[in-house]
Amino acid sequence: MNDSLHYDYIIIGAGAAGLMLANAMGEDAFFKKKSILLLDKDDKKTNDRTWCFWERGAGQFEFLVSKKWHHIFFKGKQFSKRYNINPYCYKMIRGIDFYTALLQKIAKYPNVTFKKTAVTNVVDNGKVVTVTTATQTFVANKVCNSIFSYKMATHQKKYPVLQQHFLGWVVQTEKAVFDADQATYMDFSIPQQGNTRFMYVLPFSAKEALIEYTLFSTDLLPKDAYETALKDYLTNDLKCSAYTIKEKEIGSIPMTCYEFKEHHTKNLRYIGTAGGWAKPSTGYTFASTAQKIPILIAHIKSEKPLKSLRFKNRFWYYDLLFLDVLYKDNASGYHIFETLFKNRRPQLIFKFLDEKTRLWEDIKYIAGCPKKPFIQALFRRLFF
């Protein structure tokens, strides 16, 4: 075996999880004499996504935040409110800014190599992991893989699998339309059509914003259905008929409590969305990934089998009941969120979704939700 094709660690995928992990390993003295290979089929030079999250104060990626909002707006069928979310801010990071900054940092680590190539196969034989690409074969002692396929989760029936799917436009309007300091977190006033559907609006200025048509459901829509909904919202809800589409983004994020543990092995660990790191009840992935990377780093340094790392906690059970409710009655989503925002402040909601609440706060949060569907979901899990 050519030594140049053997690495101590291989990271597959240069998305949020892969780049965070490669950077964390590059910064850590423990890995200074370890060879690390980062693989991705793309050179990461396009703005293919936007990450948003709420945060108190300045975080580790503050230097990449392109926009902040101090207010959010929730709109339901019967209840609407603008909230000051202090001490939180709602923050946005553009994909291209993240890729550029992290790849520049990684390029300075002499022991980390980035290669643009598509991975076709990954096999752990119990001693080493063989990674096959379109042009070469690499071997590593440990591999972290962020390549996700819905087949990883949909082969089973124990845990429901929903998708948070969306199509978004960055629009430039001729007249002032938006409140630049207010993010529309969820607007459920649009037709639900038997699903959980809402608009998500992130204004950059009074005349520019990212508007996304978002669904929590099992199946995707035809592309023109998303586009029609966006056009209708701009015209009818925002009273804006003159606009230019500057950018587009489309995506689908898994919402499931399936644990992905059967895919991990002694020397192979799935990370990011492929490892179940997307928050099951919301689809938020960036902040969740940032929280899990230090835990993964510590586990790798312990030299324990990669499959032995567990992230399951009591919030996993809360998320499971929520997804059970949405899976059984997908049209009920707007009522759940409307009831919650009517009864509870967003600061508690954010803290709970960050999994940082105490048990008494959990109870307070849960008491703010509709009771009947969750009690029924609990009984189904316990007795059926």
Side-chain angles (χ1 to χ4, degrees):
M1 175 65 67
N2 187 334
D3 289 341
S4 65
L5 300 182
H6 187 281
Y7 291 83
D8 292 300
Y9 303 96
I10 293 178
I11 301 168
I12 302 172
L19 288 174
M20 285 186 201
L21 179 58
N23 182 58
M25 295 175 81
E27 288 181 333
D28 195 315
F30 178 87
F31 301 99
K32 187 175 182 179
K33 295 183 179 180
K34 305 292 185 180
S35 56
I36 302 164
L37 176 63
L38 174 63
L39 301 172
D40 197 289
K41 64 180 179 180
D42 186 65
D43 56 12
K44 316 306 289 185
K45 293 182 178 179
T46 58
N47 189 42
D48 60 351
R49 68 190 63 224
T50 300
W51 288 296
C52 288
F53 52 96
W54 51 83
E55 191 170 41
R56 297 169 62 115
Q60 68 177 115
F61 296 107
E62 194 70 22
F63 69 106
L64 292 175
V65 173
S66 61
K67 178 64 180 172
K68 299 179 185 179
W69 296 270
H70 296 90
H71 298 83
I72 64 168
F73 178 65
F74 176 88
K75 187 174 184 179
K77 298 289 186 181
Q78 299 177 339
F79 169 82
S80 300
K81 189 172 181 178
R82 170 187 167 99
Y83 297 92
N84 183 326
I85 59 173
N86 184 59
Y88 290 93
C89 275
Y90 198 64
K91 303 179 181 182
M92 183 184 79
I93 293 177
R94 299 168 69 242
I96 187 62
D97 296 337
F98 179 81
Y99 302 144
T100 301
L102 270 289
L103 285 171
Q104 286 176 351
K105 291 185 69 175
I106 289 166
K108 296 178 182 179
Y109 305 133
N111 60 324
V112 183
T113 303
F114 174 60
K115 290 183 181 291
K116 179 186 173 183
T117 185
V119 172
T120 57
N121 197 34
V122 183
V123 177
D124 180 6
N125 69 6
K127 295 182 179 180
V128 294
V129 184
T130 301
V131 178
T132 305
T133 73
T135 57
Q136 292 176 290
T137 298
F138 303 97
V139 174
N141 298 330
K142 305 289 182 183
V143 170
C144 290
N145 189 352
S146 64
I147 296 178
F148 171 74
S149 166
Y150 270 97
K151 293 180 180 178
M152 296 174 70
T154 55
H155 69 285
Q156 53 79 45
K157 300 297 181 184
K158 184 176 181 180
Y159 304 110
V161 180
L162 298 174
Q163 300 185 59
Q164 179 183 149
H165 49 109
F166 55 87
L167 189 147
W169 290 346
V170 174
V171 298
Q172 182 81 45
T173 62
E174 290 186 5
K175 65 178 183 179
V177 174
F178 309 105
D179 179 346
D181 192 40
Q182 174 183 283
T184 298
Y185 187 68
M186 287 176 159
D187 184 345
F188 284 105
S189 65
I190 61 174
Q192 297 297 287
Q193 301 180 52
N195 298 125
T196 300
R197 306 183 182 211
F198 60 93
M199 288 292 177
Y200 176 61
V201 184
L202 302 177
F204 310 143
S205 69
K207 295 184 178 181
E208 186 178 8
L210 169 63
I211 304 176
E212 289 189 347
Y213 182 48
T214 307
L215 294 85
F216 295 170
S217 63
T218 55
D219 301 312
L220 302 180
L221 303 179
K223 185 178 179 181
D224 61 353
Y226 301 94
E227 293 175 338
T228 298
L230 287 167
K231 292 175 185 176
D232 290 345
Y233 189 71
L234 279 158
T235 303
N236 300 324
D237 294 77
L238 299 181
K239 309 302 180 186
C240 176
S241 57
Y243 57 88
T244 302
I245 302 172
K246 297 178 65 178
E247 294 180 24
K248 297 181 179 182
E249 69 175 45
I250 189 168
S252 173
I253 303 167
M255 300 175 69
T256 181
C257 282
Y258 171 67
E259 296 182 78
F260 293 86
K261 61 184 180 181
E262 69 185 89
H263 302 293
H264 308 314
T265 66
K266 177 184 176 182
N267 304 307
L268 171 64
R269 180 83 194 190
Y270 283 86
I271 61 174
T273 301
W277 290 9
K279 175 70 173 170
S281 57
T282 65
Y284 280 87
T285 308
F286 190 86
S288 173
T289 295
Q291 292 168 8
K292 289 178 172 59
I293 288 295
I295 300 171
L296 175 59
I297 287 287
H299 189 82
I300 292 172
K301 290 163 67 172
S302 74
E303 299 186 351
K304 296 177 182 178
L306 291 182
K307 66 180 180 181
S308 66
L309 177 61
R310 295 284 183 269
F311 289 108
K312 190 174 178 180
N313 56 25
R314 72 181 188 275
F315 295 94
W316 178 90
Y317 295 96
Y318 302 150
D319 286 344
L320 177 60
L321 292 181
F322 174 75
L323 292 178
D324 281 347
V325 170
L326 276 193
Y327 191 78
K328 186 175 188 298
D329 183 10
N330 196 235
S332 67
Y334 86 89
H335 177 61
I336 294 171
F337 286 104
E338 186 168 11
T339 304
L340 181 59
F341 272 89
K342 184 177 181 179
N343 293 333
R344 297 293 178 262
R345 299 171 67 241
Q347 288 85 348
L348 175 62
I349 296 172
F350 289 163
K351 188 177 182 181
F352 179 84
L353 295 177
D354 275 340
E355 303 184 357
K356 294 179 179 179
T357 45
R358 299 175 182 176
L359 186 58
W360 68 268
E361 292 174 305
D362 296 354
I363 296 170
K364 183 178 180 181
Y365 176 96
I366 293 167
C369 299
K371 309 296 187 300
K372 184 177 179 180
F374 287 94
I375 292 172
Q376 290 174 336
L378 177 60
F379 271 81
R380 285 195 299 270
R381 280 288 167 185
L382 290 175
F383 302 112
F384 297 100

